[in-house]
Amino acid sequence: EIDMQNNVGDTALIWAAFNGHPAALLCLLQAGAETKLCTNNGNTALQWAKAKGHTKCVRAIEEHAAAKAAAEAAAEKAA
């Protein structure tokens, strides 16, 4: 499962964001990884990327969230 969490709440997406791996992060986002999951201390992948100064990861998550929101809004409007 793409969103499986370990004993401290890390997912593959959170790990990629924490460690500054934008290519892996993009692959996970495109595969449907959930951006809203938190580690046991309450941090999301976006929060970890910001805290660690990984700007490419931050940008990828924010752009993905914006595209997802736009697609959901368009689908809602069409319904």
Side-chain angles (χ1 to χ4, degrees):
E1 179 182 330
I2 196 165
D3 290 323
M4 184 178 290
Q5 292 180 281
N6 66 11
N7 62 323
V8 294
D10 287 344
T11 63
L13 185 72
I14 291 170
W15 186 91
F18 182 89
N19 290 290
H21 295 287
L25 189 135
L26 282 171
C27 288
L28 291 162
L29 289 172
Q30 291 169 352
E34 176 57 58
T35 60
K36 295 179 183 176
L37 293 175
C38 299
T39 58
N40 292 353
N41 66 2
N43 290 326
T44 64
L46 179 59
Q47 290 168 319
W48 276 121
K50 285 181 177 181
K52 294 292 189 171
H54 300 308
T55 57
K56 289 181 182 179
C57 292
V58 171
R59 189 174 325 116
I61 296 168
E62 289 177 341
E63 288 175 358
H64 175 79
K68 186 176 178 181
E72 289 171 358
E76 186 175 306
K77 185 177 179 181

